[in-house]
Amino acid sequence: MPVPLFDTQTPLAPLRDELRAAIERVVDGGRFILGPEVEAFEREFATYLDVDHAVGVANGTEAITIALRALGVGPGDEVIVPSFTFYASAEAIPPTGATPVFCDVDPETFMVTPETVRAAMTPKTKVAIVVHLFGNLAPVEEVEALGIPVLEDAAQAAGARAADGRRAGTLGSAATFSFYPTKNLGAFGDGGAITTPYPDVAERVRTLRFHGSRDKVTYEEVGYNSRLDELQAAILRVQLPHLDGWCDGRRAGARAYEGAGLGELVGLPVPTPGSSPAWHLYVIRDDDAAHLETALRAAGVECRGYYRTPVHRQAAMAPYAPQHDLRGTDEAARTHLAVPIYPTFSEAQATEVVRAVKAAG
Ligand SMILES: *Cc1c(COP(=O)(O)O)cnc(C)c1O
């Protein structure tokens, strides 16, 4: 049996009626932009995370741009960002007028460390973006201890908890989420959110997402048309109560891989000590990941090297590429390989993947 990389349909099957009813409720109400569903979702998402403010926006990329601006980032500033991440983490910086400064990652955890961030700091550093990549927990407090505000890119970490029980998205000065359909909490289209403990940051985010206006008549600063829409909010409200259960399923999948002996064949993901990662992707390490990728595909196991070319080596980022090599980043880019994981991933599937990895030699 082929094993897919992810499965977004099976977990939603039991919710079909509830989802249909939510969509009908919006159609019947006739409000499609910034109405009761978005308000309710913002409240429910903030309660779920245990953070004071959540604001819905159009997607996880604009969430980063808007959050940076709300944290005071502008022309002349520098924003530190890891190069081993989805491209959008860095792409979102230049629209603020600031310059991205790429930092390295630990090639075992795929996370920034206080050391890699410190190496990228200059007197112009305004904010550091840390990415909870693959649903693991990045060291937010250790980076903030360097004296710079942290924006958490939590696009892949909805449902992840740190060792002390606090959730990803509540640890820094602000955080951003993506509700792209394959993310752990996925809309039926694009969507995103910004969270923050600070009322002034939340207020500026609300203004920026609506053209830089509070009252829809006066325009204080150049903003964006970047809203989560009512249909997506209604759909997300149906799913949110199931997010923790889905993440439990992903963690059970990770345990199934361990139990089936995957760790004897390749490097397993390294969870932050004491944390409960959300395992958006289950990413193993192998010295010959390209060969393993080909062999697994041939055996019917879907897998993917997501970030083979790190962001700082992409053509669009050439103006911001560092003069020195980012050695941990290059190693992670070469060795990483995402193998199947999803909420309903079974022990039998884990066994099948492990068998294919073994056969690949
Ligand atoms: C998905 C993702 C984004 C962008 O989110 P969109 O909703 O697709 O714009 C940003 N950062 C990371 C790490 C992501 O995985």
Side-chain angles (χ1 to χ4, degrees), residues 126-303:
K126 186 84 174 186
V127 168
I129 296 175
V130 309
V131 184
H132 299 301
L133 200 66
F134 307 138
N136 202 355
L137 272 294
V140 176
E141 279 173 336
E142 291 90 326
V143 172
E144 275 200 330
L146 300 172
I148 31 172
V150 165
L151 174 63
E152 305 170 71
D153 179 346
Q156 301 187 3
R161 277 184 190 276
D164 61 7
R166 289 183 303 154
R167 293 192 190 271
T170 68
L171 309 171
S173 293
T176 58
F177 289 87
S178 164
F179 304 127
Y180 184 83
T182 57
K183 299 283 157 86
N184 287 10
L185 180 65
F188 292 179
D190 280 308
I194 297 164
T195 57
T196 179
Y198 301 116
D200 52 328
V201 173
E203 179 65 21
R204 181 121 186 254
V205 165
R206 286 185 191 284
T207 307
L208 284 169
R209 81 169 167 183
F210 189 88
H211 306 287
S213 175
R214 277 167 225 263
D215 58 5
K216 308 186 181 180
V217 202
T218 47
Y219 299 88
E220 300 163 33
E221 59 177 333
V222 173
Y224 308 85
N225 175 1
S226 187
R227 282 121 23 172
L228 179 67
D229 68 58
E230 286 283 290
L231 273 172
Q232 302 306 341
I235 287 161
L236 291 166
R237 289 183 68 201
V238 173
Q239 296 187 52
L240 182 59
H242 302 276
L243 177 58
D244 278 343
W246 291 338
C247 290
D248 285 343
R250 290 171 180 277
R251 286 187 283 267
R255 283 195 300 277
Y257 273 133
E258 286 169 34
L262 186 61
E264 289 145 38
L265 306 170
V266 294
L268 293 181
V270 182
T272 304
S275 71
S276 298
W279 296 137
H280 169 59
L281 294 170
Y282 194 77
V283 179
I284 59 174
R285 287 164 292 121
D286 186 75
D287 242 352
D288 203 350
H291 163 76
L292 185 57
E293 189 171 346
T294 311
L296 289 184
R297 287 241 181 90
V301 173
E302 240 191 278
C303 58

Side-chain angles (χ1 to χ4, degrees), residues 28 66 125 159 167 223 227 246 260 289 305 312:
D28 289 344
I66 291 171
T125 305
R167 293 192 190 271
R227 282 121 23 172
W246 291 338
H312 74 285

